[in-house]
Each structure stands twice: as C-alpha cells, then as structure tokens.
Amino acid sequence: MKKIVALIGLAVALALSAGNYRILFNASLSDGKLGLADSLLREWSTATPDDPELYAARFNLLLNRARTQALVLSAESAKDGDQWTLTDSAGNRAGFIRGETTWDSLLVDSAFREIDRGISAFPDRIDFRLGKAAAAAMAGDWIAVIGTVDNLLDRDAINRGHWFGSDNLVQASADTIVTEAVYERLCDLYNTESRSVIEETLPLAAKAAKRMESDVRFLNLAGGMNYGVGNIDSALTYFEEAARIAPHDGIPLTNIAYINYQKGDTVRALEICRKIQEGGYDDRSVEIATQMIGQITGKTMPEIEVHILFLLSA
C-alpha cells in the first residue's frame, strides 16, 4: 500500500514541506487511515484554500480510495509477480492464487480531473504530470498515459526544460527526470503487448525518439513497436539510426540482421551477423547472431525467438 499512497512526490524525489497539514495528511495516507486523511484535507482546504499542494493531496486521496486489492483464484499462471500454486491430492497443479489490484474507474476519473485542474493552474509542475502518467499506467488507462506523456513533451518544449516541483521550487535535473519518465511510460505501453495500444502509441514513440535523438533506447523502442505491428520498413529505419549513433550496441544490429533475414536478404543478414560475432559485442547479441547464421546456412540450430531480438538496451 505504501508504494502508491502518494504518486505525486514519489514520481520525483522531493522533500515534504514543513506545513503541518501536509505532514499529517501524508502520514495518514501512509497508515491507510483514509477517513482521517479526508478530515485533514477538509481542514487544510479551509485554512489555505490557494495552496497548490492541495491538488496533489486530493489526487492521491482519490487514488487510494479507487484502489482495491483482493486474492484471485486462476487456472492460468501469471506472467510476473508473486503467486501461490495449488495442488490436488495427487500432487498435480490445480491452479494459482495471487493478489490482484482493481480500480474504481469513476474515482480514477475524478482523480484525473482533479490533477488536470492542478496542471491547468500550474502547467510547469512536473510532479503533477508525472504523477498522473504513473497512476494511469497502474490503472491500465493507456489512452491517458499516451495523452499525458505527449502533453509533457509538448510542455517541455515550451518551457525549455524549466520545471517546478513540490512547493513550486525549481526542479533540479529536470531533463533527466523527463527523459527517464517518458522512457518508463513508453516501456509500460510496449509491454502491454496489445496491438491496438502499440498502434496508438506509435506517434508518441516517434516524437520521443526525435526529441531524445541521442538516446538509443528510444530508437530501439520505436523500432520494436513498429516491428510488432508490421511496419517493417519503419522499424528498420529506427534500428539503422540506432546502430549509427551507438555503433557498439549489439541490439540494433541483431534487429537489422533479423529483419533482413525475414525479408529474404540472407547475404546482408549473414554479413551483419558475422560482424557481430567478430566485433566484440555483448554475449547475448553474439548468441543471437550465431543462431541466425545457423538458420541461414542450414545447420541444426534452435529456432530464433523473435521477442528476444527486441529486448531494449540498458
């Protein structure tokens, strides 16, 4: 519970102010005392109605009210996270129990409307925007994630990276914070493995790759998204640019080799794979290149798993 009680304030590492109301309010959220938090919030709103931190407080309280955790019995194993395996009297696997989080969509929408009011009043508060994006990702509202990150990039261009955090203090290292937050949210969108979500994300991925043009991670990610929805030529363009700006990174080269292999240009694919084998690249890229050479030359090798090729650079 404590991991999500205050998304704004955790999105950027910022110190709390000395205001008694905010200290007591955040403590009550951390302890799960939502009734007390609500009472404190009403008193706080009466005492200092123009305090910008009230937007974050109302947002966080609504999110905590929207979130419910429950144990779920399932016949299918979860892709990740902790779970308990159930067995029958013969010791055979019978199912799984795991904790799942559900969200009240009406309360989530109310939280978003509240923080949108804060963003409208204080458009350069980076914590407001990052908090909304993180909450949208947790709630699985992918359209809200896309829109929030897109607006963040637009505002970053307007204010030239001059952002404010809690108590309207200038945010240090804002460029790094923006870059890492955008990358994290794009990874969330990519990891949905939903074709419709990824197709909706493509314009944002293109914008981010252009804005962060020296960061190979965004090029690899945009390439992987395009490949995943069948935009092979666009994917190849991104990977080639990634290989150009990061010539010692094996990931874009393995992707380029694989796409050429799939397109039937085995000569080009072999050329790239041998370059990877001989060029001192990381072990995983060499392993993938060796697998591709085996496939192309007809030697008995394990089938190449496409998803492995689109792991993202660190």
Side-chain angles (χ1 to χ4, degrees):
M1 186 68 170
K2 291 185 179 179
K3 291 182 179 178
I4 66 105
V5 291
L7 281 169
I8 291 181
L10 291 180
V12 185
L14 301 171
L16 291 176
S17 74
N20 288 335
Y21 280 117
R22 182 151 42 128
I23 292 172
L24 293 172
F25 174 82
N26 286 334
S28 65
L29 281 187
S30 296
D31 292 338
K33 299 176 180 178
L34 302 189
L36 176 59
D38 189 48
S39 297
L40 288 166
L41 184 57
R42 287 197 297 271
E43 293 180 20
W44 182 5
S45 299
T46 301
T48 56
D50 296 326
D51 187 347
E53 308 311 316
L54 285 166
Y55 293 109
R58 287 189 285 261
F59 172 76
N60 285 323
L61 180 58
L62 284 164
L63 285 180
N64 276 270
R65 291 196 181 283
R67 182 179 185 269
T68 303
Q69 286 185 305
L71 291 177
V72 176
L73 174 64
S74 174
E76 302 294 329
S77 177
K79 291 183 179 179
D80 51 37
D82 295 329
Q83 62 183 357
W84 295 269
T85 302
L86 302 177
T87 56
D88 59 22
S89 58
N92 299 314
R93 190 170 63 192
F96 304 89
I97 294 178
R98 59 180 174 270
E100 288 192 357
T101 300
T102 59
W103 295 87
D104 183 317
S105 60
L106 293 178
L107 287 173
V108 171
D109 288 345
S110 294
F112 288 168
R113 285 194 297 272
E114 179 60 33
I115 204 60
D116 283 343
R117 284 191 284 270
I119 291 170
S120 179
F122 301 94
D124 294 324
R125 279 289 296 260
I126 191 171
D127 52 340
F128 288 3
R129 294 177 185 269
L130 298 190
K132 181 183 178 182
M138 292 173 66
D141 188 341
W142 304 115
I143 297 302
V145 174
I146 293 169
T148 304
V149 175
D150 191 58
N151 290 337
L152 171 71
L153 287 175
D154 287 345
R155 188 64 191 181
D156 190 62
I158 292 169
N159 68 20
R160 299 184 180 183
H162 189 70
W163 291 96
F164 298 88
S166 184
D167 293 319
N168 285 344
L169 298 176
V170 173
Q171 176 59 51
S173 304
D175 55 343
T176 299
I177 291 170
V178 168
T179 297
E180 294 306 313
V182 171
Y183 181 69
E184 288 176 13
R185 299 290 78 81
L186 283 173
C187 285
D188 289 337
L189 291 158
Y190 180 55
N191 290 332
T192 64
E193 299 181 1
S194 164
R195 183 184 183 91
S196 61
V197 170
I198 291 174
E199 285 179 339
E200 289 286 343
T201 306
L202 289 179
L204 176 60
K207 178 186 284 189
K210 184 176 181 180
R211 288 285 305 280
M212 287 76 166
E213 59 185 359
S214 63
D215 192 328
V216 69
R217 298 177 302 169
F218 290 93
L219 292 165
N220 278 332
L221 187 50
M225 286 184 177
N226 276 277
Y227 181 87
V229 299
N231 298 339
I232 306 303
D233 290 339
S234 293
L236 188 58
T237 297
Y238 280 115
F239 292 135
E240 287 174 341
E241 178 62 12
R244 185 188 69 79
I245 69 170
H248 301 297
D249 187 342
I251 289 178
L253 284 178
T254 56
N255 292 336
I256 294 167
Y258 186 80
I259 289 175
N260 278 280
Y261 170 45
Q262 290 294 306
K263 293 174 73 173
D265 190 347
T266 55
V267 173
R268 176 62 175 152
L270 280 172
E271 176 186 339
I272 297 170
C273 287
R274 287 175 177 142
K275 175 182 177 180
I276 294 169
Q277 280 188 320
E278 299 166 3
Y281 291 92
D282 63 277
D283 292 343
R284 189 67 186 118
S285 295
V286 171
E287 180 184 354
I288 294 170
T290 301
Q291 288 182 348
M292 273 191 277
I293 291 173
Q295 288 283 313
I296 293 168
T297 59
K299 297 178 181 178
T300 303
M301 297 291 292
E303 182 63 32
I304 303 165
E305 296 185 41
V306 175
H307 72 273
I308 290 176
L309 296 173
F310 295 92
L311 291 174
L312 306 177
S313 298

